[in-house]
Amino acid sequence: GRTALRARSLVDDALRLQEAGAFAIVLECIPANVAIAITQALDIPTIGIGAGGGCSGQVLVFHDLLGMTSHPHHEEFVPKFCKQYAKVGMEINDGLAQFKQEVEDGSFPGESYSPYIMMKEEEAIFDKLLKRDVEKERTTQDKVMEEEESLSLYGNGKTGQ
């Protein structure tokens, strides 16, 4: 929409979208005067992203407006129309690095962040159930080992010829 003919074409396209039943139209990276003309021509709202202040509403990618991306060259890729209201990317990186470190060294979650506990009676029953499962597994493994020992490669219990 940076030429008069293309801008006029955008107004016509927006009107056709409205006639086709669109409930709103996003206007992205167009001159503010074109966005104003489109907004005034329509009965449905326009949402601008890099289209100036004359739209019915505005939207930005929240990663951009909060500075969440922490790539060293991110500043080169932030759209020109995006105002950054914060720069939380490095804070996010620091938090994630600390989380990773604490998980690796075992300091997280720790008792402070493991608040769900069983009553002592329930814990005792649970331990008995687990012990029974272990004993059952051990018995099953013993039976399998006995069967394997009784079998031979040659069929009749002999280990040679």
Side-chain angles (χ1 to χ4, degrees), residues 18-156:
Q18 177 178 267
E19 289 172 23
F23 65 88
I25 296 176
V26 174
L27 303 176
E28 184 172 357
C29 299
I30 62 172
N33 63 322
V34 177
I36 290 169
I38 292 171
T39 301
Q40 290 174 347
L42 298 175
D43 295 323
I44 59 175
T46 58
I47 306 299
I49 179 167
C55 295
S56 309
Q58 297 291 321
V59 66
L60 288 175
V61 175
F62 77 92
H63 292 79
D64 293 336
L65 76 94
L66 293 177
M68 290 178 70
T69 305
S70 59
H71 187 276
H73 303 294
H74 178 66
E75 296 296 324
E76 297 173 27
F77 302 105
V78 174
K80 294 176 186 176
F81 57 79
C82 185
K83 177 180 179 181
Q84 283 191 341
Y85 289 86
K87 292 188 183 256
V88 300
M90 292 312 294
E91 290 291 322
I92 290 170
N93 266 3
D94 292 347
L96 291 172
Q98 183 177 354
F99 170 71
K100 178 181 183 276
Q101 179 61 44
E102 290 182 13
V103 168
E104 288 176 347
D105 69 22
S107 62
F108 181 83
E111 288 186 27
S112 298
Y113 295 98
S114 300
Y116 308 103
I117 57 173
M118 293 177 128
M119 294 178 5
K120 293 294 180 191
E121 301 83 25
E122 292 299 321
E123 192 173 341
I125 294 169
F126 181 62
D127 290 342
K128 285 179 185 177
L129 291 170
L130 290 176
K131 185 177 179 183
R132 187 173 11 161
D133 291 345
V134 168
E135 289 170 358
K136 185 186 252 184
E137 180 65 26
R138 192 174 300 134
T139 302
T140 302
Q141 287 177 351
D142 289 346
K143 287 180 182 178
V144 169
M145 287 176 57
E146 286 174 14
E147 286 180 29
E148 288 176 352
E149 288 175 2
S150 70
L151 296 176
S152 84
L153 294 175
Y154 302 102
N156 50 359

